[in-house]
Amino acid sequence: MKQANIVVVGGGIAGLEIASSLGRKFKSGHANSPLISVLDRDSAHIWKPMLHTIAAGTRDISQQQTTYAAQARDCSFAYQPGELNGLDRASKQISIAALYAPDGRLLIPERTLPYDKLILAVGSQANDFGTPGVQEHCYMIDSRVQADAFNREVRLRMFQCLGLDQELSIAIVGGGATGVELAAELIQLAEIAESYGAVGLGSKIHITLIQSGPRLLDAFPESISQAVREKLEALGIKVLTNTRVQSASADGLNTADGNFIPAAMLVWAAGVKAAEVMSQLDGLECNRNNQLIVNNRLQTTLDDSIYAVGDCASLTLPGATRALPPTAQVAHQQAVYLIRHFSKILNEQKFPDFRYRNLGALVALGEYDAYASLGQFGLFKNGFIRGKIAQLSHAMLYRSHQSNLHGFWRGSLLWMVDQLNKKVRPSIRLD
């Protein structure tokens, strides 16, 4: 029996958890053990719900990232640098785009990679809905690279703001979790920077949060939305709801009602869609947001050897009227499901349908506050909590993800290192 090639495209929450768990499970080295490969265009992974803290600089990117090459060594899978740009289902192979150096040199030409089972977990990106000027003038916070680029620029702008004694205005489009949390983290950044000697910085930073709908966090209960808005406004953030952005320019945003919102830095955190390549994969069925349509076993509708999980997949469960939301919780549960049943998948045996449990949702406003809806299960069904307990719950989700990647003991050591670093290193990025 030949070795099966298992290719995981995307090293995000679902992809890296799947590869790490399967790599550890099958690392015995037997001739018939499957070969696990992970393809990702980046060199390291960061838990996506943490990207806003990397963007603000309230967490250090070097401490929080997991390098794919090191993770591959520790978990016995192969890391393939590159980006998916095609699929041939008949020959069961994917094509990988050519890889270039920053100076334009060709490093690795276009190549192919064979698979027996293909797991697509490429995540998602902000959806600009074709709004003019967004691609040219707005930052996005969908990846480690984008978050780091925004952080470098915001630190330069704040330095300039102090040196020239001028104000810095930042407009964030999108009142979901990313936009809300980033706004709070930027206020925290300015506040901590003042304690390091940037006197008066907080009064020079002006943040506007823009939401097209009637309230922030429309996936949360209305009570949480209102409480979050009140907290943000108490922090000095201007919140605009029922405001649709019509276009973006170098110096601000034009709205559908004819107003202009001036800003030196623009962030687009509205809407979600999968990568364009998802709609070009050898006829696989997808929706208008480029998400692949999958069945109740997470298989694509036209090819049962190809699976899609997380934000790039669209799954509507029996009896539901809407597809599952593109959240870290959904991605994690789908990863756990595939890991649990993968031996049956390899052996072409029957396995049960995926079942989703809505365990609620969390939003954290830096060190200021946190809010959690408690979902559809448990003793406090449909309730919510806030404050220190919600902040601890948010932290525990991240620690659980670290444990899934590295194992319990190493994950615990990483937590300990984080706590020590808080005592001995600056609490914001200063380099």
Side-chain angles (χ1 to χ4, degrees):
M1 180 179 178
K2 77 178 186 70
Q3 286 182 303
N5 287 308
I6 312 304
V7 176
V8 180
V9 180
I13 291 174
L16 197 55
E17 286 189 7
I18 290 169
S20 298
S21 294
L22 295 183
R24 286 192 294 263
K25 180 177 181 179
F26 295 116
K27 71 177 182 178
S28 60
H30 295 311
N32 60 351
S33 294
L35 300 174
I36 316 294
S37 300
V38 171
L39 173 71
D40 199 285
R41 63 182 178 183
D42 203 352
S43 60
H45 161 85
I46 284 181
W47 192 51
K48 192 168 185 179
M50 185 181 281
L51 285 176
H52 65 282
T53 66
I54 303 301
T58 51
R59 282 184 183 263
D60 192 318
I61 186 171
S62 63
Q63 295 178 45
Q64 305 305 328
Q65 65 188 10
T66 298
T67 305
Y68 290 127
Q71 185 72 2
R73 178 202 62 189
D74 294 340
C75 297
S76 300
F77 64 82
Y79 163 56
Q80 295 279 352
E83 186 172 7
L84 175 72
N85 74 343
L87 167 68
D88 186 335
R89 292 194 287 130
S91 61
K92 284 197 168 185
Q93 61 182 13
I94 61 171
S95 61
I96 304 170
L99 198 60
Y100 294 89
D103 61 6
R105 284 176 298 158
L106 176 64
L107 297 178
I108 305 174
E110 184 174 344
R111 63 200 194 276
T112 61
L113 189 64
Y115 69 85
D116 293 292
K117 300 294 181 183
L118 177 63
I119 301 172
L120 297 169
V122 299
S124 64
Q125 58 195 47
N127 190 348
D128 64 9
F129 304 104
T131 306
V134 171
Q135 292 296 325
E136 296 81 2
H137 303 294
C138 294
Y139 287 89
M140 296 185 184
I141 315 294
D142 297 318
S143 70
R144 183 186 74 102
V145 173
Q146 289 178 339
D148 191 39
F150 176 81
N151 178 251
R152 288 196 304 270
E153 183 65 19
V154 79
R155 285 185 290 120
L156 288 173
R157 295 293 186 111
M158 287 185 173
F159 181 77
Q160 185 181 45
C161 170
L162 285 170
L164 299 178
D165 192 26
Q166 61 187 23
E167 297 184 342
L168 173 61
S169 55
I170 303 172
I172 302 170
V173 182
T178 298
V180 163
E181 292 180 328
L182 178 62
E185 291 289 340
L186 289 171
I187 293 294
Q188 184 174 318
L189 171 65
E191 183 179 288
I192 297 173
E194 287 209 42
S195 71
Y196 282 101
V199 179
L201 180 62
S203 63
K204 298 178 186 297
I205 306 298
H206 305 288
I207 298 174
T208 302
L209 181 61
I210 303 152
Q211 168 72 339
S212 61
R215 64 185 179 92
L216 302 177
L217 301 171
D218 53 12
F220 285 74
E222 190 166 352
S223 56
I224 291 182
S225 298
Q226 184 59 34
V228 166
R229 177 168 187 161
E230 291 172 358
K231 186 65 178 183
L232 292 177
E233 290 177 334
L235 292 172
I237 297 166
K238 184 177 182 180
V239 178
L240 302 176
T241 51
N242 293 309
T243 303
R244 186 171 64 85
V245 173
Q246 198 165 46
S247 65
S249 63
D251 54 358
L253 301 164
N254 294 294
T255 64
D257 54 12
N259 291 322
F260 180 72
I261 301 170
M265 294 188 72
L266 307 174
V267 180
W268 191 272
V272 173
K273 67 176 182 179
E276 193 68 31
V277 70
M278 290 292 102
S279 64
Q280 303 163 5
L281 294 181
D282 200 5
L284 292 181
E285 186 181 7
C286 67
N287 62 19
R288 63 180 182 178
N289 290 326
N290 303 330
Q291 294 170 303
L292 294 171
I293 310 299
V294 297
N295 61 26
N296 295 332
R297 292 174 298 283
L298 307 185
Q299 297 163 307
T300 54
T301 53
L302 300 180
D303 195 323
D304 60 10
S305 66
I306 300 175
Y307 296 76
V309 296
D311 294 2
C312 72
S314 177
L315 171 61
T316 303
L317 295 173
T321 57
R322 300 177 64 179
L324 292 175
T327 64
Q329 177 184 181
V330 171
H332 169 65
Q333 290 190 31
Q334 291 179 339
V336 170
Y337 167 81
L338 285 187
I339 293 165
R340 180 178 298 137
H341 299 296
F342 206 78
S343 292
K344 292 181 178 179
I345 291 172
L346 276 180
N347 294 315
E348 305 292 343
Q349 298 173 344
K350 290 185 178 180
F351 56 100
D353 290 350
F354 171 74
R355 295 181 62 188
Y356 172 65
R357 298 183 68 197
N358 180 6
L359 302 177
L362 283 158
V363 60
L365 307 183
E367 298 296 326
Y368 302 113
D369 213 340
Y371 306 81
S373 62
L374 300 180
Q376 301 298 314
F377 292 87
L379 182 62
F380 303 102
K381 180 179 177 180
N382 293 324
F384 78 91
I385 55 176
R386 66 178 296 182
K388 295 296 184 183
I389 296 178
Q391 287 177 323
L392 178 61
S393 299
H394 192 272
M396 290 304 296
L397 283 178
Y398 177 45
R399 302 308 169 185
S400 174
H401 175 63
Q402 286 187 310
S403 180
N404 292 330
L405 294 185
H406 306 292
F408 175 78
W409 293 111
R410 189 171 181 185
S412 300
L413 287 173
L414 288 171
W415 189 354
M416 183 185 301
V417 169
D418 271 356
Q419 298 309 307
L420 289 173
N421 279 328
K422 284 183 179 180
K423 301 294 184 183
V424 301
R425 301 188 64 169
S427 50
I428 57 173
R429 186 176 176 183
L430 298 173
D431 60 317

